[in-house]
Amino acid sequence: MSNLAVSWFEATARQRLAALVDDGSFEEFLGPEAREASPHLGLFDLPRQFDDGIIVGRAKLSGKSVLVAAQEGRFMGGAFGEVHGAKLTGLLRAARKLGQDVVILFDTGGVRLQEANAGELAISEIIRAIVEARTAGCSVIGLIGGRAGCYGGGGIIAGCCSHLIVSEQGRISVSGPEVIETNRGIEEFDSRDRAFVWRTMGGKHRYLIGGADDFVDDDATGFRAATVAALAAGKPLTRTVLEAEQHRLTTRLARFGKAQDGYDVWKALGMAQPEALPGLAVEAFLDIARDRRETSDDAR
Amino acid sequence: MHTKRMAMKNWNDQKTARAARIAAGQTVADGKMIPAERLTEFLEAVIRPGDRVCIEGDNQKQADLLARALANAAPARINDLHMVQSGVVLPEHLDLFDRGIARRLDFSYSGPQSARIARMLFGGQIELGAVHTYLELFARYFIDLTPNVALIAAVSADREGNLYTGPNTEDTPTVVEATSFKDGLVIAQVGEIVDRVPRVDIPGDLVHFVVDAKKPFYVEPLFTRDPAAVTETQILTAMLAIKGLYAPYGIKRLNHGIGFSTAAIELLLPTYGEALGLRGRICSHFALNPHPTLIPAIEAGWVEQVHSFGSEVGMEDYVAARSDVFFTGPDGSLRSNRAFCQTAGLYACDMFIGSTLQIDLAGHSSTVTTSRIAGFGGAPNMGSDPHGRRHPSEPWLKAGAEADITSPAPLRRGRKLVVQIGETFGDKNVPLFVEQLDALALAQKLNLDLAPVMVYGDDVTHIVTEEGIANLLLCRSTDEREQAIRGVAGYTDIGRQRDRKMVERLRERKIIQRPEDLGINPLDADRSLLAARSIKDLMLASGGLYKPPSRFRNW
C-alpha cells in the first residue's frame, strides 16, 4: 500500500523543512509576519504570499549549524520573483560571511513571468553568490524532489551547487517539456508522454548521467541522511574542480550527444535492460546504477 | 372476410439487396478477406448513396482504419449517407460531412470533436437528427435507425470471420445484432488474422467481410485519473458523500461518473471508509469501467462484483487476474458490453454519482457550453430514475419515502439516488452554479426542440459540494429547492444570493448538511487520506498487474 511517511513530493515547503532539520532547530529569517510580499503581482490582480513562496533561515542538521532555503512549488510554481530571489541571494551572501554551508530545497518552474526582469536578475545574483560562497569554502547542497521539479533558472542554479540529491519524482532541466515541444515540435519532444519526460529529465536519468550525486527514496528520511553525509564531505570549489567538470561535460556531450531518448543513454552506459530501469525500486535501481553511471568524478 | 394479399409484393427485398452487396464486394475481396490497400475501393463497391451507416466508435474504442477509408471515398460514388453512430470522435467522422459523403447524423457522444461539430451544425454542413444517450441510440438501431452497413472493430478474426473483440467489446455485439439480423452488411477491421480466435465474441456467420489492419484499433484511456491531481477540496466532498450519503442510505449497488471527485471517493474507501466501518455495507457492486483508482478498494476486499461498459488501457492483466470481481471470458480477459452495462446502471443500481459543468436553480445540469456540443454518452441513463423499476432495495425505498410522505408505503415508488458532486468553483475557477444553463442558449442558436440537458432537475436527489450536501428529496416546494441549491453553492453568485434565514431552516430539517453537521472537520481532508497518491502507487497496489500508459507515468 501507499507509503504514508512524509512524502517529499507531496509535502509543502514548510513540511519538508520541518522533516529535514533537527527537531525545533529552525529559525526563520523574514518570515511571513514580515509581509515581504511581491510588489508586482498586485498589478496583475494575482494573489500574493507573505513569504513570496520561499522560506529562508538557520537550522541544525545532525547538530551542525546550516543555512536553509525552501521553495514552495504550490505558490506560482515556486517561481523566482524579485523578493523570492533577494531572500535566497541574501542567504547565500550571509553564508559566505558566516562561513556556513547552505541547503536549498528546490521546487521551481523558473522565473516568474509577471516579474521577469527582476527574476532573471535574481537568478544571476544567486549564481554569483553561490560561486562566491563556494570559493570561500562553503558547500551549497541542492535537494530536488518536489512537484514543480527544478526548471528554468532554477536548473542553472542547481548546476552551480556543490552537491545535488534527487528522488525519482524530481526533474531537473532548463527548458520544460512544453517549451521544448512548442519551439522544436512534437517530433523532437512529446511533452504529453510523461514517461518520456521522466526518462530525459527525471531523477533516475539525472543520477545516471552524473547530473545529480545522490538518488534517494521519496521521503524526508532519505533526503535528510543524504544531506548530512554530503555536508560532512564538503568540497571547496577550485580551478581544478572547475576544469574537471568542464572536461566531464565535454566527454558527456561527445558520448551521448546523439541520443534521442534516455533509453539510448542508458544502453550506452551498459545497462542490460534499459526499459526495466524506470520500474525499479530505489535499492534495486542503485544496485544496478551505482557502478555503471556516469560519475560526477568529484567534479563538484 | 379474408386478408387480401398484396399483389406482386416481394417480401425479401432486403435479403436480395444484401446478397447483391456481397457479390459486389467480391470484385475486391477474396471471400471474406478485403485487401487493406483496396479498402476504400471496396467500400465504394458495397455502400450505396443514402445508406444508413454505423462506424463503430464511442468514448473509448474506434474503428479507425474503416473511418479513414470511408472518408477517402469518392463523393460521386458514395454520398448522402445517414451516419448513425455512438461516437463522433475521430476527425474523419466529420470529414465525411465536409466532403459531402454524409449528410445526416444521429449520434450520442462527440468528446474531442465537440467544438468542430458545433461549428458544422451552425454552418449547416450537418443535418442533425438527434443527440441521444447510448442506450437510446442502441434502442433506435432496432426500431427506426437500423444500419444498412456497420463498420466495426475487433482484436482478431479467424478465416471464417469469427471475431475476438477482447476486453474492449463495448458496442460491437449491439451494432452487429441490429445490422446483421436485419439484412445489413457487417464489415470488421481486425488487428490480426489468426487460425483460432481466443474466444468467439461475434459469430462469423454474422460478419460478411474482414480487413486486416495489422495493428490494434485505437482506444482512448478515458477513465484514468491520476491520484496526484486529486485536491483537498475534492477529498472533502468525497468524505461528505461517503459519510453523508453512502453510509446512511447503505449504497451497495452503484455507478460512478468520470472525474476526480468520484476518483477521490474510490481512493478513500480503504482508508476513510474503513475507519467508519463501512466495508461490506457500501460499494460492493458496481456498473463501472475498470477504473485504476478502484484498485486499492478491490485489493482491500471492498468490491464483490463489477460489470463494465468497456475496458481501460493498462488494466487488462489486472482484470484478468481478478476474475472473481470482473466478468471474463474463457480466454481469461474482460468481456465488456456497453448496452448491458448501461441497462445494469439504469435498473440495478441504487445510485449514480458524477460531476457536471453547470447546475441551475432547478437542479438541471449540463456539460454543454455555447461553443461545444459534447453529446451525452451514457450519463443520462445512469443519472435518471427508471420508472420501469419494480424490485425494492433499502436505499431505493428510503429515498422514495423521503420524497413522498403522503402515499401509503405499498403504493409508493422508490427513488434512485442521482447525485451531482463537485467544487463550487470548478476548473479555471468557473462557477458550477449558474442562473441559466448555456445549453439553453445553444438550443436557441440551433433552433433545437430540446435543450441538451445531461441530468434533469427532477431526477437529481442530492448535490454535494465542499460547503455541504443538499437533499432535494426532502424539499417540499420549488422555493425550498432553489434555496437548498443556493445553500451549497458557496461563494458563487448563486450562493451569495441565498436567503440566509431560509437556508438555516433547511439546515435544521437536514435538507442541508454542513461538514460539521456530519462530524467532519474540513481540516482532516488531507491527501494523506488517499489510499494511493500517484499512478505508481496504483501500479504497486496492483502488484505490478496494472500497466499505466506512458502518458500517465512519472517514472
Side-chain angles (χ1 to χ4, degrees):
Chain A
M1 206 63 272
S2 161
N3 159 28
L4 294 182
V6 178
S7 158
W8 196 263
F9 185 74
E10 292 274 332
T12 63
R14 288 183 188 276
Q15 286 169 332
R16 284 179 196 143
L17 262 187
L20 180 76
V21 304
D22 296 355
D23 273 350
S25 71
F26 179 62
E27 182 198 332
E28 184 166 358
F29 307 152
L30 270 186
E33 74 286 349
R35 304 205 168 188
E36 279 295 350
S38 161
H40 308 290
L41 293 178
L43 297 175
F44 300 92
D45 218 8
L46 287 168
R48 298 178 294 170
Q49 230 171 47
F50 293 148
D51 57 14
D52 205 32
I54 190 167
I55 306 154
V56 295
R58 188 200 322 262
K60 286 201 161 63
L61 252 167
S62 207
K64 184 176 184 185
S65 182
V66 290
L67 298 180
V68 290
Q71 293 182 297
E72 178 49 73
R74 297 189 196 193
F75 176 64
M76 310 235 31
F80 289 87
E82 185 175 3
V83 173
H84 184 114
K87 283 170 83 172
L88 185 53
T89 310
L91 189 81
L92 288 159
R93 287 181 183 162
R96 183 191 180 197
K97 250 186 203 154
L98 301 170
Q100 292 220 313
D101 295 337
V102 185
V103 179
I104 305 174
L105 285 59
F106 288 102
D107 195 356
T108 183
V111 164
R112 215 178 271 170
L113 293 177
Q114 295 81 0
E115 35 193 308
N117 292 351
E120 297 289 359
L121 279 173
I123 300 287
S124 321
E125 286 173 349
I126 291 163
I127 292 170
R128 174 172 288 274
I130 289 182
V131 172
E132 287 173 352
R134 286 189 62 193
T135 37
C138 308
S139 290
V140 181
I141 299 176
L143 279 52
I144 298 164
R147 278 175 178 255
C150 186
Y151 281 101
I156 304 174
I157 293 171
C160 300
C161 288
S162 340
H163 194 96
L164 291 180
I165 302 163
V166 69
S167 66
E168 175 163 66
Q169 286 82 350
R171 286 167 297 163
I172 310 172
S173 192
V174 178
S175 296
E178 290 82 9
V179 177
I180 302 177
E181 183 181 319
T182 307
N183 287 303
R184 304 297 300 271
I186 196 162
E187 299 76 19
E188 173 87 8
F189 204 101
D190 180 358
S191 68
R192 287 188 56 202
D193 184 347
R194 303 208 334 171
F196 174 68
V197 171
W198 257 264
R199 286 202 301 277
T200 49
M201 300 174 172
K204 277 180 174 160
H205 178 68
R206 290 302 180 202
Y207 177 71
L208 283 167
I209 62 165
D213 306 85
D214 288 309
F215 181 79
V216 297
D217 220 335
D218 172 47
D219 73 45
T221 19
F223 274 100
R224 180 180 155 93
T227 310
V228 169
L231 284 169
K235 287 166 279 180
L237 181 66
T238 61
R239 185 180 166 140
T240 327
V241 169
L242 261 185
E243 280 171 355
E245 176 73 351
Q246 177 65 30
H247 173 71
R248 182 180 74 86
L249 293 175
T250 312
T251 318
R252 187 171 92 183
L253 186 63
R255 200 169 166 199
F256 306 125
K258 292 269 184 304
Q260 294 291 311
D261 192 309
Y263 286 151
D264 305 338
V265 175
W266 307 344
K267 208 168 167 187
L269 285 170
M271 302 291 168
Q273 281 182 292
E275 60 289 345
L277 287 182
L280 292 179
V282 173
E283 277 316 311
F285 168 72
L286 285 175
D287 281 346
I288 297 177
R290 244 185 226 113
D291 303 334
R292 295 202 185 85
R293 78 186 195 102
E294 177 90 330
T295 61
S296 42
D297 56 25
D298 279 343
R300 291 179 198 280
Chain B
M1 234 172 79
H2 58 260
T3 319
K4 198 170 173 185
R5 298 183 66 144
M6 281 171 67
M8 304 301 289
K9 167 68 182 170
N10 187 343
W11 290 98
N12 300 298
D13 277 348
Q14 293 178 4
K15 275 203 167 36
T16 315
R18 176 164 70 187
R21 288 174 195 258
I22 292 174
Q26 291 309 318
T27 55
V28 175
D30 174 14
K32 286 192 176 182
M33 299 297 155
I34 313 164
E37 65 282 0
R38 295 178 65 193
L39 186 55
T40 296
E41 187 187 336
F42 171 82
L43 294 177
E44 288 171 347
V46 300
I47 298 178
R48 311 270 181 259
D51 272 352
R52 263 195 303 268
V53 176
C54 168
I55 304 179
E56 188 185 9
D58 45 50
N59 53 5
Q60 301 186 263
K61 79 186 291 193
Q62 297 301 337
D64 47 354
L65 180 80
L66 286 163
R68 210 168 311 130
L70 184 58
N72 285 334
R77 298 285 306 271
I78 310 182
N79 47 57
D80 274 348
L81 296 183
H82 179 179
M83 307 309 294
V84 288
Q85 58 191 56
S86 297
V88 177
V89 173
L90 303 174
E92 289 85 357
H93 292 156
L94 290 176
D95 293 347
L96 290 174
F97 293 87
D98 264 345
R99 299 199 56 228
I101 296 168
R103 186 168 50 85
R104 193 170 167 81
L105 175 66
D106 280 278
F107 77 109
S108 173
Y109 168 85
S110 68
Q113 299 299 332
S114 57
R116 185 170 166 211
I117 202 171
R119 279 197 307 275
M120 291 175 71
L121 283 168
F122 296 142
Q125 286 137 291
I126 297 176
E127 189 182 308
L128 181 66
V131 189
H132 305 75
T133 75
Y134 283 136
L135 210 44
E136 219 179 350
L137 185 65
F138 296 159
R140 292 192 68 187
Y141 283 166
F142 294 95
I143 302 294
D144 61 343
L145 290 181
T146 309
N148 301 112
V149 179
L151 308 177
I152 63 169
V155 175
S156 58
D158 64 17
R159 275 160 236 292
E160 271 80 60
N162 291 303
L163 300 183
Y164 173 54
T165 45
N168 290 89
T169 291
E170 306 185 9
D171 303 12
T172 319
T174 313
V175 172
V176 172
E177 178 94 9
T179 309
S180 204
F181 285 107
K182 197 72 197 70
D183 301 318
L185 196 69
V186 174
I187 303 162
Q189 75 169 67
V190 299
E192 57 177 339
I193 306 286
V194 295
D195 288 335
R196 199 182 154 82
V197 285
R199 71 176 189 228
V200 179
D201 286 302
I202 305 292
D205 53 4
L206 303 181
V207 179
H208 307 101
F209 291 99
V210 174
V211 60
D212 185 359
K214 299 210 183 332
K215 64 180 175 98
F217 54 80
Y218 179 76
V219 184
E220 171 75 15
L222 194 67
F223 294 86
T224 301
R225 290 292 174 275
D226 186 346
V230 174
T231 65
E232 275 153 5
T233 316
Q234 286 157 349
I235 292 169
L236 176 60
T237 52
M239 291 164 76
L240 285 164
I242 291 172
K243 199 168 180 188
L245 292 175
Y246 288 56
Y249 287 98
I251 305 292
K252 290 186 165 180
R253 311 179 305 167
L254 71 164
N255 166 259
H256 276 180
I258 312 179
F260 281 101
S261 299
T262 42
I265 293 173
E266 289 155 18
L267 292 168
L268 286 187
L269 292 177
T271 54
Y272 185 68
E274 192 71 41
L276 294 174
L278 294 173
R279 177 151 51 95
R281 293 177 45 214
I282 63 167
C283 293
S284 52
H285 297 73
F286 281 96
L288 195 74
N289 277 344
H291 286 188
T293 40
L294 198 61
I295 291 172
I298 293 174
E299 293 305 298
W302 277 70
V303 182
E304 278 182 46
Q305 189 156 307
V306 178
H307 187 255
S308 302
F309 312 91
S311 186
E312 182 63 7
V313 181
M315 286 290 281
E316 296 81 3
D317 293 352
Y318 178 75
V319 167
R322 298 288 180 273
S323 61
D324 282 351
V325 174
F326 294 95
F327 287 73
T328 56
D331 65 316
S333 78
L334 179 76
R335 162 77 178 204
S336 59
N337 187 308
R338 191 168 310 279
F340 287 154
C341 197
Q342 289 282 333
T343 310
L346 183 58
Y347 279 101
C349 287
D350 293 314
M351 178 199 257
F352 161 79
I353 180 165
S355 337
T356 187
L357 287 183
Q358 293 189 332
I359 300 177
D360 72 9
L361 289 169
H364 298 307
S365 66
S366 165
T367 55
V368 163
T369 58
T370 37
S371 60
R372 287 179 185 273
I373 302 173
F376 295 121
N381 294 134
M382 306 289 107
S384 64
D385 185 37
H387 282 195
R389 177 172 165 179
R390 291 295 179 271
H391 72 283
S393 67
E394 191 196 316
W396 190 72
L397 292 175
K398 182 177 157 78
E402 285 181 348
D404 174 4
I405 45 172
T406 50
S407 306
L411 286 177
R412 191 164 56 207
R413 214 189 257 287
R415 281 290 294 268
K416 178 180 182 179
L417 297 189
V418 174
V419 183
Q420 297 285 4
I421 185 168
E423 298 168 86
T424 51
F425 288 92
D427 200 19
K428 300 194 175 81
N429 278 334
V430 174
L432 174 61
F433 296 91
V434 295
E435 203 77 44
Q436 199 192 55
L437 298 177
D438 282 351
L440 281 172
L442 180 87
Q444 221 159 32
K445 204 166 159 190
L446 279 176
N447 211 7
L448 301 176
D449 296 330
L450 277 178
V453 171
M454 186 67 93
V455 175
Y456 284 113
D458 60 355
D459 277 324
V460 176
T461 61
H462 300 80
I463 297 173
V464 186
T465 70
E466 72 277 10
E467 208 192 358
I469 301 175
N471 181 336
L472 304 183
L473 291 168
L474 293 171
C475 296
R476 297 291 170 251
S477 65
T478 47
D479 206 25
E480 284 188 3
R481 198 180 167 83
E482 177 181 326
Q483 291 303 326
I485 293 172
R486 289 191 191 275
V488 295
Y491 289 98
T492 60
D493 287 345
I494 298 293
R496 286 185 299 172
Q497 288 161 23
R498 70 185 63 170
D499 174 343
R500 292 188 181 274
K501 280 202 189 121
M502 186 155 174
V503 165
E504 275 317 301
R505 284 199 300 276
L506 295 178
R507 194 173 162 195
E508 279 157 25
R509 285 164 54 199
K510 293 189 188 300
I511 291 175
I512 289 179
Q513 288 185 288
R514 302 279 177 230
E516 56 267 37
D517 301 338
L518 290 162
I520 293 170
N521 180 354
L523 293 177
D524 290 342
D526 188 273
R527 283 184 44 85
S528 63
L529 272 182
L530 297 176
R533 292 182 292 185
S534 63
I535 291 279
K536 189 161 202 181
D537 282 351
L538 293 174
M539 188 269 279
L540 294 172
S542 75
L545 290 165
Y546 169 46
K547 311 229 165 29
S550 193
R551 74 159 105 155
F552 290 110
R553 284 170 35 190
N554 60 349
W555 67 89

